[in-house]
Amino acid sequence: GAVGAVAAAAAADPSQPPAAVALGTLPMSAGDAPPDETPKILSPEEQAKTNRCFSCNKRVGFTGFKCRCEYTFCSTHRHSGKHECSFDYKALGRDSVAKANPQVIADKVEKI
């Protein structure tokens, strides 16, 4: 069990302090490394039928609303809070404020 593995590890090298192992787990060896858990970045899904709402698949025809995330929605899902919008409105606001208000740096005044 796990207790025997810790005791065996302590007996193998008495100069090293015993390794802390959580109850119910075994110490990991070099070959037992966890799998790579990096999330895969998926490309945005293409909307096959642009005459239908991307959220509820309701037929919208020519009156559909095109969102900044490039999908078409019905009148119920047209706002970014009503669908899972991937467009970053905060970054757009920060950029527009930064461009509209350039930083003003005054010249240093020499002391007399």
Side-chain angles (χ1 to χ4, degrees), residues 39-103:
K40 294 180 181 177
I41 299 172
L42 300 174
S43 62
E45 187 178 332
E46 291 290 325
Q47 186 172 5
K49 296 181 181 179
T50 57
N51 64 341
R52 293 193 172 265
C53 175
F54 191 70
S55 289
C56 65
N57 209 29
K58 179 181 174 183
R59 201 168 113 213
V60 293
F62 292 114
T63 61
F65 295 90
K66 188 90 166 174
C67 181
R68 289 188 177 175
C69 63
E70 300 298 320
Y71 296 119
T72 305
F73 296 99
C74 64
S75 60
T76 306
H77 297 109
R78 68 181 174 164
H79 298 293
S80 61
K82 296 290 183 180
H83 67 271
E84 295 177 14
C85 190
S86 59
F87 188 79
D88 191 4
Y89 287 95
K90 284 187 178 182
L92 176 71
R94 281 191 293 263
D95 292 342
S96 65
V97 168
K99 287 178 184 176
N101 301 312
Q103 199 172 28

